[in-house]
Amino acid sequence: MNSRQKKQAEALAALSTADRARLERLAELAEVTAEYLWPDVWLYGFDDVEEGIQADLEAEAEIAAGMTLPNEEVMAHIRSLLDRHAKRKRRAG
């Protein structure tokens, strides 16, 4: 175990009861173990990790509800925009 892993393990062991419960809740939301999630929490903090998990859950819900565009459609639109821009640029000069 390197020193970074040792520090993470020590910090995990030293979590308060409330922080351990929060870690467990976030891990459950993310469908991973608390130990798997801990390095991200240790690096970025509870708030940032929770925000990321919530954003992922919202995105998954939007996808499931059909509220998103397929990647192929987005890329085709971007190619079209780039082609129009290139044609204008060639005409201008």
Side-chain angles (χ1 to χ4, degrees), residues 22-76:
R22 186 175 184 189
L23 178 63
E24 293 288 342
R25 182 182 61 79
L26 290 175
E28 187 175 321
L29 278 174
E31 298 180 355
V32 297
T33 66
E35 291 73 20
Y36 180 86
L37 188 60
W38 174 244
D40 286 345
V41 172
W42 188 68
L43 284 171
Y44 306 113
F46 278 106
D47 291 342
D48 284 349
V49 171
E50 184 167 11
E51 184 178 306
I53 290 169
Q54 291 298 337
D56 286 346
L57 292 172
E58 289 170 14
E60 288 173 11
E62 289 176 0
I63 291 167
M67 298 170 59
T68 60
L69 297 172
N71 183 60
E72 296 79 18
E73 187 177 325
V74 173
M75 295 307 290

